[in-house]
Amino acid sequence: PIINKTQKYLATRRRPLHTKEADRLKQNFGSVCVRNIRAKSEIFAKCTFQEILPQGYHPVRSILFDKTPEENWPVPWHQDLTIAVRAKADIPGYGPWSVKDNTPHVQPPLPLLQEMITLRLHLDETPAKNGALRVIPGSHLVGRIPSDQISSHSVTSSVTCECHPGDILLMSPLILHASSRSQEPSHRRILHFEFAPTNSLHPNLTWHEKAT
């Protein structure tokens, strides 16, 4: 993972705008986990991060997460292995399929996941006590890790990605990551974006989120 503390995507003057918009979405959709936020917000639709990402990458999924005193959940060690698409199709190498929030999700071929980039934009102070993400460096190089083998990877080598408001965390969706409950819950608002190269998806499938 890379934390870019020198190039703040959110300048001080921009953070209140994004924070207010995140709270609006939470209130409108009644959840601290709101999916497809780029389609639900003109402000977040402009978050393409083209000045940070390699050329040819476009957003394919966007989610708002917030840990609060009322909803303060732990996330166990895992990899992000699924993508969101418009409709299910029987294609070799794609599967198994599932449905989340009425949206088809599927595990794509490993090469696609290896090309993808996850970007997490922090709106709040996120120290270890406020549910900061923990990762196991190098685990993304192993490929898919069966759930019953995750425990064999040493969590003692994990790194806690403490972040300030405006910090950006870039990582592979294949890296093993987890987060604890916040010990001092107030807010831990994070904008989670996933990016993929143009034409990386099978031509018979369409990303659920429209590329712009």
Side-chain angles (χ1 to χ4, degrees), residues 109-155:
L110 181 61
L112 193 160
L113 291 171
Q114 291 172 327
E115 290 184 317
M116 292 180 65
I117 297 173
T118 296
L119 184 153
R120 290 164 64 91
L121 176 58
H122 297 74
L123 302 184
D124 299 294
E125 287 289 344
T126 312
K129 290 185 176 182
N130 196 21
L133 198 73
R134 290 175 289 140
V135 302
I136 299 179
S139 56
H140 63 294
L141 302 176
V142 181
R144 285 193 182 93
I145 302 174
S147 57
D148 61 353
Q149 296 180 21
I150 289 178
S151 60
S152 66
H153 291 263
S154 178
V155 298

Side-chain angles (χ1 to χ4, degrees), residues 39-52:
K40 297 171 180 175
S41 164
E42 293 183 1
I43 293 175
F44 295 152
K46 298 176 182 178
C47 294
T48 59
F49 305 96
Q50 296 305 302
E51 68 273 37
I52 297 174

Side-chain angles (χ1 to χ4, degrees), residues 29-99:
F29 292 93
S31 176
V32 294
C33 176
V34 182
R35 298 178 184 272
N36 201 12
I37 61 174
R38 294 184 67 254
K40 297 171 180 175
S41 164
E42 293 183 1
I43 293 175
F44 295 152
K46 298 176 182 178
C47 294
T48 59
F49 305 96
Q50 296 305 302
E51 68 273 37
I52 297 174
L53 296 168
Q55 187 174 3
Y57 275 71
H58 59 86
V60 296
R61 182 154 59 175
S62 56
I63 309 172
L64 163 67
F65 295 115
D66 186 14
K67 289 187 178 181
T68 67
E70 294 76 26
E71 297 196 50
N72 182 19
W73 66 97
V75 180
W77 290 105
H78 70 287
Q79 299 172 298
D80 292 336
L81 298 177
T82 64
I83 59 174
V85 296
R86 294 285 179 89
K88 183 177 179 179
D90 186 11
I91 300 172
Y94 284 78
W97 288 81
S98 58
V99 177

Side-chain angles (χ1 to χ4, degrees), residues 163-176:
C163 292
H164 300 295
D167 278 349
I168 285 174
L169 171 63
L170 295 174
M171 68 183 196
S172 166
L174 289 170
I175 198 166
L176 282 171

Side-chain angles (χ1 to χ4, degrees), residues 26 152 183 186:
K26 284 168 46 186
S152 66
Q183 298 176 36
S186 56

